[in-house]
Every structure is written in structure tokens, then in C-alpha cells.
Amino acid sequence: MLSEQVVTDVLWAALSTGGDFAEIFMEDTFNTQIRMLDGAVEEAVSGRDYGVGIRIFQGLRSVYAYTNDTSRESLMKAAREAAAALPGAPAGKTVVLARLAVEKFNPVRLEPRQVTHLDKVEVMKQAHSAAAGFHEQISQVAIVYTDVDQSVFIANSEGLMVDDRRVRTRLGINAVATKGAEKQSAFRGPGRHMGFELFEKIDVGEIARDAAHSAVTMVNADYAPSGKYPVIIDNEFGGVIFHEACGHSLEATSVAKGVSEFSGKLGERIASELVTAVDDGSIPNAWGSQNIDDEGTKTRRNVLIENGILKGYMIDKLNARRMGMEPTGNARRQSYKFAPTSRMTNTFICAGDSTRDEIIANTEYALYAKRMGGGSVNPATGEFNFAVSEGYIVRGGKIEEPVRGATLIGRGSEILQQIDMVASNLATGQGMCGSVSGSIPADVGQPTIRVKEITVGGRKGAN
Amino acid sequence: MNFQEFKERVFAAGRAAGLGDMEIYVTRSQRLRIRVFEAEVDDYAASLERGIGFRARFGGKVGYAYVEALDEEAVEYLVQGAKANAQIIESSDDVEFYAGSESYPQVLSYNDSLAAVSAEERVSFCLDLEKAAFALDERVAKVPYALMGYGDTEVYIANTLGLEQGFTSNGAFSYISALVRDNGQVKTGSKLHYGSDWSTFCAESLAREAVNEAVSLLGASSVPSGDYRILLRNDVAREILSTFAPVFSAESVQKGLSLLQGKLGQSIANSRVTLIDDPLLKNGAASAPFDGEGVAARTKKVIESGRLVTYLHNLKTAKKDGVQSTGNASRPSFKSPVGISPTNFFIEPGQAAYGDLVKTLDDGLIIISVQGTHSGANPVSGDFSLGAYGYLVKNGSIARPVEQITIAGNFFKLLETVEEIGSDLEFSGPDFGGNVGSPSLIISNLAVAGM
């Protein structure tokens, strides 16, 4: 890593024009990715990402530069060139660095780099056999194992100097079921901010069979009826609805510039009073957790919505200036190749009082979205869309036939108001969230909820 | 250390470690991105990056490793990493290394005058973009994005069979998104432009397209669910083509992940449809003299008058099928193993101007945006169900804007039901999935869910 003298010199060079804040982010990351198709390892890549990002603020302006060449000479050049993009003369601030010790609450027991490739392949084979042996209609199983060991060092002109290490392990299971010329696939991707001990905590075989079950159910299902009707969204990855429909619109990235539908609405009712929602990057070993964010701010639990009232946003340093509020530990980036901005960590709707069984029993007709695929949102208008990867029709209080091909569309603000039942079975699922500062690991989550009405799109006409 | 010198050191260390065929794939790029907000440059990002991908044969199998730092440890890390990775490979596929083609085409992929545009000019372009948007209509409340980017990339590939090739490319893009407010209603319109000719970057006209689109959507509402005749605007048509482009990859076909399996020589699309992959396109965003394995690039028709002519191949899939590689081996980055991707991949334009297509549509919907192609589309089955908006057309002219609908259908069915092809071919710009282009298309019918 860099010496204190080099860090001080580079920060000083970065402030050589009109900048009022400068930051260095250095990263050294080891990656492993192994792909298996139908039980045979097809591809294995290991790599090392290494580089430095330099960021300078002048009021609300931001300049970012990065390079892989971490020699003093190259960093000084990058800092001076970045500074040249800002007008003005230096304020002559001195930088006094003080090392900050951070509490490490994401323990790693089995470091991935100490685990042999063969052990990793063994876990993949377990997943493969469980899925492939589940049913005769399973025609293909693809498994991807990934581990990432990221060491970061962050220093800024306020004197902060801190490092952190993030170790993440994940298994992706994709099962394809075939019936005649038709194919349907189902994905499960359990992961945690931890090492290889992940596989002592999860039952790989059960998760793989569950993926296979989804694929087989869907390949035998008819298309979902389209139209506007009630939807019950199950717990765990179902939380992607909140992530897409509301979470992105609560990131300072869009709130600060007044382009989010939730800008300027703190203290107002934006959701049904059954809804309390939280973003919490400080849950030990959760997929989206970090000891500190990518600006060096300690992560924490941020209440976004409490009993339907908007309580807070997710804020990074630059947008904190624009908003006149404090950073919330949500500044994140894929790597040194991205300037950080406010992003979600582990985001979920909190548990309510009902049970899933009660919700189903109390519903005359609905789409039961047991598994959600991904989705996206336009934060300006709140318009979202996402795919239901495993759905069923609820009729007369009972789960009936499976249906496929449904897409849910609507506006975040409207859906939040229309949640009329919330169960107590809060659970989370893992995803990779893509936005301006790259692709980052994020947990989504919720208990089973019921929404009075959502537009359901699909190939089949209305009932 | 230069690439040639580094290559020699890696190959020497590899030979000492018992590795067989070896190859390095290096990229070095410079990027610049400038974003303006409320008449100030609020984001300015410059970068210089390089990366070295390495693959090597050991015990008959091929493993991969990559590094970004060119330090003393890098050579050893690449050699040991690739060796360890080769040892767990079980697939029986033969990975080919390539000694080089007899000749390579000349490709125009680097524009000196684009590289020479000054930083000041680029900044003032972004400022003009935002200013123009505000000046066009008083309902423009915000311009969330007014930005431009420039990048150039140098690619170098060399292996122990004697292959050694390189080329340089550059390009620029601009993106504007305008937000309009009227009577409490909010709509956004956006325009993306990619090119290597700076004179095509006209701030006023790009801003106009974004603002006009946003304003035209005010007062939008849904339509009753049902089947509609559809005009897919060129940018929507290319987004759908890009989403389903993997079905043309021989790798998908061989793995049973493409319904085009067994369809070579057969009619899979309306006879109006010709689909071309052209890596030699002048200043195309994906133009290159060779592919990710060093195979010379060539132009080919993938669909000719509705008939499937070829899949896209790299050396591995070509060997399996007993054909020649089509030069579509891809390395989306130095980190990625060799895969398959189209280059400049487009539906051949027809004669009709966009306005004529609206008249020909007569009654139906124009779709100008789709959402959720990464989640609501299944490349294996071809099924898609996507959030969408656009306009309702009655008697050959636009009646009103439409929102809160989904369009659903099947890609393979869509190809068969293309009724009319416009003359307005436009490309997406560079993407991991190739530079995809399409004119606007009239489709006989798609299922629409709305009210």
C-alpha cells in the first residue's frame, strides 16, 4: 500500500487549484470465478484488480481520475491533471493524516485464497447433482462459483486514513427445464460477506433442488393472465420490488438534484402505515454489508420509512453537501474505476403482524409472485417494471395453478400506498445492483406482502 | 515495461513452469467523461487503465488469469493462476490457439480529429446541451443528465504460435435526459448519440429530440389490454435485437440454449429481413481488423431474406461444427475468457421513412421505450414481457401518448411477423454485446397489457 508521505503529497497536489476536499481510494482485489456446465468445469479465471482513484470536490463540483500505475510519479501526475479541471487557487490547507481504527464486524474464517480449487469444485458438484437429479425435465444445470477478496485504503484531506477488507463468496445455480421445444430456467444465488464457511451455513443441495423445482413448475405452467389485479409478493427476493420501485428513488444520487419522486418529502406519508423500511449496511456478514463505506464512513442502520412516513434518504459526501445533510454510510462503488455515490446496502421492508397463510386465505383472487426476477426503475417518474419468475394464481383463498411470463409494472409511490397486508416472515435474497457507480452486491428483502392492485403484463389476455 | 517485453517474460516463466500454448491479450485505454448540472461541470472523470489477460494450456486444458498491476509479482501470478485453473478444467471442448490469418483487413476505427477535440470544446458542448434543453420549452424543469464521454483503446494480442497483432480505436458519446413538469405530471425524454465524427455532435438537435419526446408524453395514459399492431421505433427494435442476439451464437446453439438449433438454411424470419454482422463498417463502434482470438475479421449475412445463413462462431465452436470461424470470438475485457459476440450487427434498412411507417401502421401503437430487457426477456425461449410507453396511432397519425403498458411476445415470432422495415438505421454504440443497430419495424401484432 501507499506510504503516508505519498498520500499526503498526492492529496496536496489534488488541492493545488481550487479544490476544497480531496480523497484517495486504493484497491487490491483478488477474484476467482469457476463455471461448470452439466457437471464439468468449463472455465476458471483468477485475477487481481489493482488501482487508485483520486477525487476532488470544489463546492458541488467533482473531479475523478484513476490509474493502475501507483508509482508516486504517476499518482502526482493524475492528481495534478484532475486538479487542472477545477479553477481557482489553493486555500493552503494542511493535511494531517490520522489512522482510524474501524470495528470489523464481518468476520471471515475460511479465506477463499486458502481454500483449494478442488474444494470449490466439490461444492459446485453437489449443487449440480442435486439440481440435475431433481426431475427428468431438467435438461441443463449451470453453476458459477465466485469469491472476491477486496482490500481498500481510503484517505482524505480531512485527515481520514482507514483500511478495510471485504471478502465475499457466492454460488450461482441456474437450472433449465425442457418440455418439447419449450425451455424455462430458474436461478438461485446465495452469497454472503464471508469466506468459504458460507457452505457450512447454507444447504447447497436444498437450494439447487429448489431452483430445479421452479424451472420444472414453470415449464409446465400456462401464461399469466394480464390486467390489473391484486398481487401477493413472497418474502426474500420479493424485496426486489422495494429495491427497484422505491429504494433507487431514495438514493441521494437522484434525491439531491430534485429528480426523484421522493425529493422534498421528508416527514410526509409516502406509504401505507403498514410499511417500515430500512437500509442497513452493518448487519454482520450480510451480502451488502461493509465495515465502512467506500468513502470511509461507518455503515449503519438507516430507517427510510417508518409506519408509512418518509424518514430518511441514503446519502454520500457530495450529495450531503447539496442536501445540507450528513452522509449515511451508503457511498459505494464497484471498484476504483468508479467515483462512489449513494447506493443501497441491505434494504428491506420490516416484518409485520400477519402470516403468509393468513394473507393467502384472505385473498379471493390474486397473482402470487413466489419468486421475482430482476427489474428496473426510472427514478424521475417512479415507473418500474419487473419480472415474476415463479407465479401462481390464488383463487378463493387457495394457491392454485402455476403461471409464467408475468411482468409487473407501476409507480413506486402508488404501490407503496397500496400495500394492505404485511407478514412477519422477513427474509433476504442476494443480488447484484447496477447503477452509476457500477455493479455492487446488495441484499433485498421483505416479508410476504399483498398489494391491492398492480398492472400485470403477459402474453395471455385478461380473465 | 512495454507489452512485447512483458510478453517475453511471461512466456519464459510459463515455459519454465511447464505450460504449453500461451497467449496474452492486453488492452490500454484512456477515457474522459464530462457531466454538467445547472450550468456547472459537476462531474469530470479521466482515466488511464490497462489490463493483461493471460491464458495457457497445461495438461491439455486451458486456464485463465489476469492482472492490472505490472509489478514483479504479476508474471508469477499469471503463470501460477492460469496453471492452477487449467488443472480443474473437465470440459472436453478443444480450446484453439491461432497462429494468425494470412492477411488482415484495413479497418477505419480511429479518428484523429475526434481525439484532437479540446477539453474546453467538450465542456462547452455539455454546457450547450443543458442550456439548449432549458431554452426549448419552459416546462423543462431539470436536465438530470447532460454529458459526453470520449474513449480510445489499444488492443494487443500475442501468442506462442507466433500471432502478434494490435489496433487502436476511438469513439465518443453524448447523453441527455430532460425532465418536464406540467400540472404536477412528470415525464422524461432522453437521447443517446454515439459517433466518431465530432461534427455529428450537435447539442441543439440532441437536446431537441430529448425535450420533444418528454413533452410529447405529457398527458399519457394506458390503453385497453389486447393485441395491437406495433411500430417499434429504431432504438427499441435494436434493444430487442440486442437482448436476443445470443441466440445467434454457435455456443448457445451447441449448448442447447438456442431455439435456432437445426435451423441453418431454413426460413426463420419474414423474407424482408436481412441481418448483417459487419466488423469492417467504416467507423463502426465495434469495427476491428481481427477478433478476440486473432482471426481476421470479415463481413457476413446471418439472415438473408429471411433465411438463416450462419451462426456466429469462434474457433472452438467452428471446429465442433466442422466450419470456419466467422471471426466472432469476443473478449469483452482482458478479464474475460474467449466467448462469442456480434460486432456491428444490424438489420438491413428498407426504403420507408419513419413518418411513412406511422401512416402504414394506420391503427396501432408506436413503442418508443421498453424497460426490463435484462429481466423480462428470456433468450432461451424467446419470450419477452416488457414495460413500455409510446403513442397510440389512429388513421395513420399519432392520437395521444401511452404509458403504463407492457408488450409481450416472442422474438422468433416477431422475426416472422415483420411487415415493414424503415430506412432509419441507428446503432447502439459500443456494448459488451456488440454494436447493435436496427431501423424502425412494423410488427403485425404483440400482446399489450394496460387497463
Side-chain angles (χ1 to χ4, degrees):
Chain A
M1 289 276 161
L2 304 172
S3 78
E4 262 188 66
Q5 190 57 52
V6 170
V7 171
T8 310
D9 291 350
V10 171
L11 290 173
W12 184 255
L15 296 179
S16 63
T17 55
D20 59 60
F21 171 87
E23 173 196 77
I24 291 177
F25 176 90
M26 178 168 186
E27 173 180 6
D28 190 2
T29 298
F30 291 87
N31 293 292
T32 307
Q33 186 170 83
I34 307 173
R35 291 179 177 276
M36 173 180 282
L37 187 72
D38 292 335
V41 175
E42 281 222 313
E43 211 171 82
V45 186
S46 40
R48 186 176 177 191
D49 298 310
Y50 181 83
V52 169
I54 297 168
R55 190 163 62 138
I56 315 171
F57 294 167
Q58 179 183 36
L60 299 178
R61 296 176 184 182
S62 165
V63 175
Y64 192 71
Y66 69 82
T67 174
N68 307 117
D69 185 344
T70 58
S71 65
R72 180 181 188 283
E73 189 193 348
S74 155
L75 293 177
M76 292 297 282
K77 182 165 171 274
R80 284 201 201 92
E81 282 176 6
L86 295 170
K93 269 201 293 190
T94 44
V95 177
V96 182
L97 295 171
R99 191 164 280 278
L100 178 74
V102 196
E103 184 206 346
K104 309 275 158 106
F105 59 85
N106 295 292
V108 173
R109 194 158 53 75
L110 298 172
E111 291 187 17
R113 272 193 288 156
Q114 308 303 325
V115 177
T116 66
H117 271 20
L118 289 177
D119 286 341
K120 294 172 185 175
V121 171
E122 183 50 39
V123 167
M124 298 172 76
K125 294 213 155 153
Q126 273 176 35
H128 166 80
S129 321
F134 176 79
H135 195 278
E136 60 189 19
Q137 284 179 324
I138 294 294
S139 55
Q140 186 170 80
V141 179
I143 311 285
V144 184
Y145 167 92
T146 50
D147 61 51
V148 177
D149 182 347
Q150 181 194 45
S151 293
V152 303
F153 167 84
I154 303 164
N156 68 33
S157 57
E158 291 163 353
L160 173 82
M161 187 166 63
V162 64
D163 48 48
D164 192 18
R165 186 169 166 199
R166 295 88 180 246
V167 174
R168 292 190 173 92
T169 306
R170 191 182 196 197
L171 193 69
I173 301 162
N174 195 56
V176 180
T178 303
K179 184 183 170 190
E182 302 212 53
K183 289 178 192 292
Q184 288 286 317
S185 62
F187 177 78
R188 299 288 184 272
R192 296 287 183 278
H193 185 144
M194 62 171 64
F196 201 69
E197 68 269 26
L198 167 68
F199 301 104
E200 295 167 6
K201 316 219 172 214
I202 61 170
D203 185 338
V204 167
E206 190 185 309
I207 295 167
R209 279 186 291 277
D210 187 44
H213 175 262
S214 271
V216 170
T217 306
M218 285 304 101
V219 83
N220 293 298
D222 193 4
Y223 288 101
S226 58
K228 215 169 183 182
Y229 55 97
V231 177
I232 296 166
I233 303 167
D234 216 349
N235 64 348
E236 201 178 293
F237 200 72
V240 73
I241 184 177
F242 184 79
H243 174 103
E244 295 295 349
C246 311
H248 280 294
S249 307
L250 293 171
E251 291 168 340
T253 316
S254 52
V255 175
K257 291 185 172 178
V259 296
S260 158
E261 61 170 344
F262 297 124
S263 292
K265 296 215 168 146
L266 277 184
E268 290 182 27
R269 173 173 297 283
I270 61 161
S272 141
E273 62 185 16
L274 297 175
V275 176
T276 292
V278 163
D279 180 87
D280 187 350
S282 66
I283 302 167
N285 294 117
W287 178 239
S289 290
Q290 285 172 188
N291 300 308
I292 51 170
D293 75 3
D294 291 334
E295 291 174 336
T297 305
K298 248 178 86 60
T299 52
R300 63 184 203 195
R301 178 184 170 91
N302 291 299
V303 176
L304 304 173
I305 300 171
E306 192 170 28
N307 302 323
I309 309 293
L310 179 61
K311 289 289 180 179
Y313 302 115
M314 292 166 276
I315 308 172
D316 58 287
K317 272 183 190 281
L318 181 62
N319 284 307
R321 290 182 170 201
R322 212 181 275 280
M323 297 164 80
M325 296 172 79
E326 65 170 298
T328 57
N330 284 89
R332 302 187 68 190
R333 51 178 129 197
Q334 178 178 325
S335 72
Y336 69 89
K337 292 181 184 176
F338 296 82
T341 190
S342 51
R343 302 288 296 273
M344 286 174 264
T345 61
N346 308 298
T347 317
F348 48 89
I349 296 176
C350 298
D353 297 329
S354 307
T355 65
R356 181 199 279 130
D357 291 350
E358 279 168 19
I359 294 178
I360 303 234
N362 279 291
T363 302
E364 199 42 50
Y365 183 84
L367 172 68
Y368 169 45
K370 185 167 165 49
R371 282 279 168 182
M372 299 302 307
S376 64
V377 68
N378 176 346
T381 60
E383 287 166 333
F384 68 79
N385 72 89
F386 48 102
V388 178
S389 61
E390 183 179 345
Y392 298 83
I393 295 298
V394 169
R395 207 178 279 112
K398 288 200 176 66
I399 298 173
E400 303 278 5
E401 73 275 14
V403 288
R404 68 158 109 149
T407 303
L408 307 183
I409 62 164
R411 273 207 180 80
S413 51
E414 287 167 14
I415 297 303
L416 279 178
Q417 302 280 6
Q418 296 208 19
I419 295 175
D420 65 355
M421 287 185 95
V422 178
S424 57
N425 55 348
L426 169 64
T428 58
Q430 290 75 56
M432 292 303 293
C433 169
S435 183
V436 280
S437 63
S439 173
I440 56 170
D443 253 0
V444 301
Q446 67 171 35
T448 307
I449 62 170
R450 188 175 74 179
V451 184
K452 271 184 251 172
E453 215 179 48
I454 301 185
T455 299
V456 180
R459 283 178 71 180
K460 196 169 138 183
N463 270 21
Chain B
M1 189 177 345
N2 67 31
F3 297 155
Q4 283 81 1
E5 198 182 311
F6 186 79
K7 172 195 80 173
E8 294 304 335
R9 286 182 53 190
V10 175
F11 289 176
R15 273 189 288 272
L19 298 180
D21 299 332
M22 288 176 271
E23 183 171 278
I24 66 166
Y25 183 89
V26 183
T27 61
R28 180 157 54 189
S29 47
Q30 275 192 79
R31 291 181 207 293
L32 177 69
R33 199 189 62 236
I34 300 165
R35 189 177 74 201
V36 158
F37 187 70
E38 291 174 352
E40 295 243 36
V41 174
D42 86 323
D43 186 30
Y44 187 101
S47 67
L48 185 59
E49 65 178 277
R50 65 159 182 243
I52 294 137
F54 176 66
R55 57 180 187 147
R57 201 185 300 278
F58 183 75
K61 304 291 184 187
V62 173
Y64 283 84
Y66 72 85
V67 292
E68 294 181 325
L70 273 187
D71 55 12
E72 285 309 308
E73 292 159 59
V75 170
E76 206 51 17
Y77 181 83
L78 291 176
V79 168
Q80 294 308 328
K83 187 174 172 178
N85 288 329
Q87 284 172 291
I88 57 167
I89 303 295
E90 297 164 316
S91 156
S92 56
D93 288 346
D94 274 343
V95 177
E96 298 278 306
F97 285 68
Y98 190 63
S101 300
E102 273 178 28
S103 66
Y104 288 89
Q106 288 286 323
V107 173
L108 252 182
S109 59
Y110 189 87
N111 186 331
D112 290 317
S113 64
L114 180 68
V117 176
S118 70
E120 290 75 22
E121 250 180 286
R122 289 170 173 153
V123 168
S124 74
F125 168 81
C126 293
L127 290 166
D128 289 349
L129 200 55
E130 191 193 43
K131 208 161 109 189
F134 279 117
L136 278 161
D137 196 299
E138 60 187 11
R139 287 167 293 185
V140 175
K142 296 270 179 191
V143 179
Y145 293 99
L147 57 89
M148 72 81 57
Y150 168 80
D152 62 47
T153 302
E154 182 188 348
V155 173
Y156 170 81
I157 183 170
N159 67 29
T160 50
L161 297 183
L163 173 75
E164 186 165 21
Q165 288 293 327
F167 82 105
T168 307
S169 60
N170 69 354
F173 75 95
S174 154
Y175 178 72
I176 176 167
S177 161
L179 185 154
V180 298
R181 238 187 225 119
D182 194 31
N183 288 325
Q185 206 190 7
V186 172
K187 283 290 167 194
T188 58
S190 62
K191 180 67 188 173
L192 172 72
H193 176 67
Y194 175 87
S196 59
D197 179 357
W198 185 243
S199 69
T200 65
F201 285 75
C202 172
E204 214 274 334
S205 71
L206 296 172
R208 184 179 298 277
E209 285 199 52
V211 170
N212 284 353
E213 181 166 310
V215 169
S216 75
L217 292 166
L218 287 166
S221 58
S222 194
V223 292
S225 299
D227 287 350
Y228 285 78
R229 259 166 77 77
I230 300 282
L231 171 56
L232 297 175
R233 197 171 69 183
N234 54 6
D235 49 351
V236 172
R238 79 177 178 226
E239 195 174 342
I240 292 177
L241 176 60
S242 170
T243 303
F244 290 99
V247 306
F248 296 99
S249 149
E251 185 139 33
S252 304
V253 174
Q254 290 173 0
K255 287 180 175 171
L257 294 174
S258 168
L259 291 176
L260 294 181
Q261 200 172 40
K263 296 270 172 74
L264 275 185
Q266 295 181 25
S267 167
I268 62 158
N270 185 286
S271 60
R272 289 179 182 83
V273 178
T274 290
L275 179 65
I276 298 170
D277 184 67
D278 182 8
L280 311 182
L281 193 69
K282 190 184 162 198
N283 287 323
S287 293
F290 55 88
D291 73 358
E293 292 174 318
V295 173
R298 64 182 166 93
T299 304
K300 69 243 105 182
K301 287 180 176 165
V302 176
I303 297 175
E304 186 169 18
S305 305
R307 200 174 52 85
L308 180 63
V309 182
T310 181
Y311 305 124
L312 300 178
H313 283 282
N314 60 16
L315 291 168
K316 183 175 89 178
T317 61
K319 188 172 183 189
K320 227 172 175 172
D321 276 9
V323 297
Q324 294 287 308
S325 168
T326 55
N328 288 92
S330 74
R331 303 280 308 249
S333 111
F334 60 89
K335 299 180 182 182
S336 326
V338 173
I340 291 178
S341 159
T343 62
N344 303 301
F345 191 59
F346 60 99
I347 292 174
E348 196 173 59
Q351 303 298 322
Y354 178 74
D356 295 336
L357 291 180
V358 176
K359 287 195 193 94
T360 308
L361 183 68
D362 197 25
D363 280 303
L365 290 174
I366 305 175
I367 302 299
I368 65 165
S369 174
V370 285
Q371 299 90 46
T373 48
H374 66 296
S375 56
N378 181 343
V380 176
S381 64
D383 287 342
F384 61 86
S385 172
L386 306 167
Y389 57 79
Y391 312 104
L392 181 68
V393 172
K394 281 189 173 158
N395 302 320
S397 59
I398 291 176
R400 66 171 175 87
V402 171
E403 63 165 14
Q404 295 284 308
I405 59 168
T406 66
I407 56 168
N410 182 282
F411 177 67
F412 300 103
K413 179 89 187 296
L414 185 148
L415 286 178
E416 287 168 10
T417 53
V418 171
E419 278 187 12
E420 228 23 271
I421 298 180
S423 56
D424 54 348
L425 169 65
E426 251 188 42
F427 285 91
S428 61
D431 195 343
F432 290 143
N435 176 35
V436 179
S438 177
S440 300
L441 306 174
I442 292 182
I443 309 299
S444 330
N445 122 59
L446 289 177
V448 172
M451 288 183 285

